[in-house]
Amino acid sequence: MPPLTQPPMSAALPWRYLLLGLLVVAIWGINFVVIKYALIELPPLALAVSRFALAAFPALLFVRRPAAGWGNIAAYGVLIGAGQFGLLFVAMTHYISPGLASLVIQTQVFFTVGMAVVLAGERVRAFQWLAMGIALAGIALIGWHAVTEGAAITPLGLILILLAALAWAAGNMVSRAAGRVDALAYMVWSSVFAIPPLVVLSLWLEGWPAVRQGLQQAGWLTWAAVLWQSVGNTLFGYGVWAWLLARYPAASVTPLALLVPVFGMSASAWWLAEPLPGWKIIAALLVIGGLALNMLWPRMVQQWRRPAWR
């Protein structure tokens, strides 16, 4: 890759980099379907161990440790590994469909805002309250159908995914405390610390016989799914995303993440025949609409306030 440069904040993504960013969010969205395939043969926590083990090794031998403290790196690994993905994988076994999982977990944005208020003293602005209210309406609609139907999602599935989003938000606060570090190196080295708690939880909750059986019966499709998550989703995805953020303003890159649940729900409907009834589409529009308002409103206001003669 060419040397990283910091362009003016008004710079827009060229088409080739826009397509590269879309490829990343497509990989992240499709990953929810890939997880479902991997869970056919591997227990969820054992799958998480495999994911982070392959994300850490052998990349650890070629990527230098990021400029962050050991405690910070370890905390991020535990929160993202055992917290976010451990809970996500458990939820996706029987309790929530891949499409809805890709949507509900995006509530991490609002958990992050809440933690920033409590821990960093940041102030929630009016548009953020409105954005959270819109997204909460979508989550409430999903919760209602979890209680009344329990087909695509159960109450336990909704709780597990919201806890996974909370763990992700806590990880965001930890990574923010690390400062400006190499995101790819941060993911690789923190993955090492995700492995021990996941191994302990897997042996405790799933048991060695179930883990051994899963490893023995896992075929090429399962290991391809694990590689997709570790190499494609983590190393390629986060690496390219960090590279784009280093070259172009966050306002030009981060809105692409709004498409993750779009890709997730579309891929789940295409490959897994997940139904898309009206209530699910409305819920998706509400959640994504709230996320879009929270992410895009400051940029829109800045554009409106810019003098026309400039």
Side-chain angles (χ1 to χ4, degrees), residues 4-164:
L4 302 182
T5 58
Q6 184 61 47
M9 290 305 291
S10 60
L13 282 174
W15 276 105
R16 63 184 182 276
Y17 292 148
L18 175 61
L19 293 176
L20 187 60
L22 288 174
L23 175 61
V24 171
V25 297
I27 289 173
W28 286 346
I30 296 172
N31 187 53
F32 289 87
V33 173
V34 175
I35 291 169
K36 194 64 177 178
Y37 279 114
L39 288 171
I40 295 174
E41 295 179 329
L42 286 177
L45 297 174
L47 171 61
V49 172
S50 303
R51 177 196 191 278
F52 285 98
L54 288 178
F57 304 100
L60 193 70
L61 303 176
F62 305 99
V63 177
R64 299 178 63 179
R65 176 193 162 193
W70 285 113
N72 181 279
I73 297 173
Y76 185 80
V78 172
L79 286 168
I80 299 300
Q84 179 191 347
F85 282 97
L87 290 168
L88 172 66
F89 289 177
V90 171
M92 287 184 61
T93 52
H94 307 291
Y95 309 112
I96 188 171
S97 66
L100 281 180
S102 71
L103 176 66
V104 177
I105 201 166
Q106 302 306 321
T107 55
Q108 59 87 16
V109 171
F110 301 113
F111 283 124
T112 303
V113 171
M115 288 185 177
V117 171
V118 174
L119 301 177
E122 296 185 8
R123 182 173 62 89
V124 181
R125 299 165 65 183
F127 77 89
Q128 291 175 312
W129 284 115
L130 178 59
M132 285 188 280
I134 294 172
L136 184 61
I139 298 300
L141 179 58
I142 295 172
W144 170 259
H145 282 272
V147 173
T148 57
E149 295 180 9
I153 181 173
T154 65
L156 178 59
L158 180 59
I159 292 172
L160 288 173
I161 292 296
L162 290 176
L163 289 175

